[in-house]
Amino acid sequence: MPEPIAPDALAKIIDAFVVLAQGHQQLADEPFFADRSPEDAVAPEEMPAWVVFAEAWDFEPAMEQGQTRHQALINFERLETSASVGVISRANRAAIAHLVAAIHSDRTLGGRLEDTQELNVAPPLENGRSVGGASLQVAVTFYTPRGHHFTIVNDRDQTF
């Protein structure tokens, strides 16, 4: 049996966002799927559902600290129905507003992040599926030790 894959720093951040969102009262009844491929189908009985995944990830040396500075784009896609494809429904706009409130309640994810910025909302990525929904794109900044993308560090010498 293969050993489980250790979560990298970005996976830890996505998992922490899922926990934060699920703890928000208005989102608690909706399933969140972390790192589920956007191409994977979501069954109608699972909807509405959220798929949370990294879209892009850049990093550069932060030499004065012996660290690596990471910037990532994370998508929170809320899939609602097979109707209204390409349109952001009122229900999805409200769900996105609740998600923004959840993120705002802990913008650093307990000290893991230097910064979190909501960027935009659009229909879900075109991945060959016909589904109505909305995707919130969020930019995050965080640090890891230089050459070690598995541990998140912050300016208070905490590690995650």
Side-chain angles (χ1 to χ4, degrees), residues 26-45:
Q26 288 81 3
L27 301 173
D29 293 334
E30 297 189 4
F32 282 76
F33 301 105
D35 286 324
R36 185 171 181 174
S37 173
E39 289 85 14
D40 288 347
V42 174
E45 60 272 9

Side-chain angles (χ1 to χ4, degrees), residues 4-146:
I5 298 173
D8 61 86
L10 191 50
K12 290 177 180 180
I13 288 168
I14 289 171
D15 291 345
F17 270 129
V18 166
V19 169
L20 180 68
Q22 288 176 323
H24 191 74
Q25 182 179 0
Q26 288 81 3
L27 301 173
D29 293 334
E30 297 189 4
F32 282 76
F33 301 105
D35 286 324
R36 185 171 181 174
S37 173
E39 289 85 14
D40 288 347
V42 174
E45 60 272 9
E46 292 177 306
M47 290 186 204
W50 296 83
V51 178
V52 185
F53 61 94
E55 179 179 333
W57 183 15
D58 296 317
F59 41 89
E60 63 189 7
M63 297 306 271
E64 68 279 357
Q65 300 167 338
Q67 297 174 347
T68 300
R69 182 176 191 257
H70 301 259
Q71 295 179 296
L73 295 176
I74 298 174
N75 285 332
F76 296 81
E77 286 194 349
R78 184 177 187 265
L79 308 175
E80 178 185 33
T81 176
S82 59
S84 304
V85 175
V87 176
I88 301 170
S89 71
R90 185 177 293 234
N92 277 325
R93 291 192 311 263
I96 292 288
H98 287 302
L99 179 60
V100 169
I103 291 170
H104 185 72
S105 73
D106 186 2
R107 299 190 74 76
T108 68
L109 290 178
R112 292 169 182 83
L113 301 176
E114 176 185 77
D115 191 32
T116 302
Q117 293 298 323
E118 302 85 1
L119 299 179
N120 59 50
V121 176
L125 292 176
E126 291 294 328
N127 293 312
R129 59 182 181 198
S130 294
V131 66
S135 180
L136 172 68
Q137 187 177 65
V138 174
V140 297
T141 304
F142 63 97
Y143 293 85
T144 63
R146 190 89 176 108

Side-chain angles (χ1 to χ4, degrees), residues 7-9 12 142-145 148-153 158-160:
D8 61 86
K12 290 177 180 180
F142 63 97
Y143 293 85
T144 63
H148 186 74
H149 289 196
F150 291 94
T151 301
I152 302 165
V153 295
Q158 294 175 303
T159 59
F160 302 90

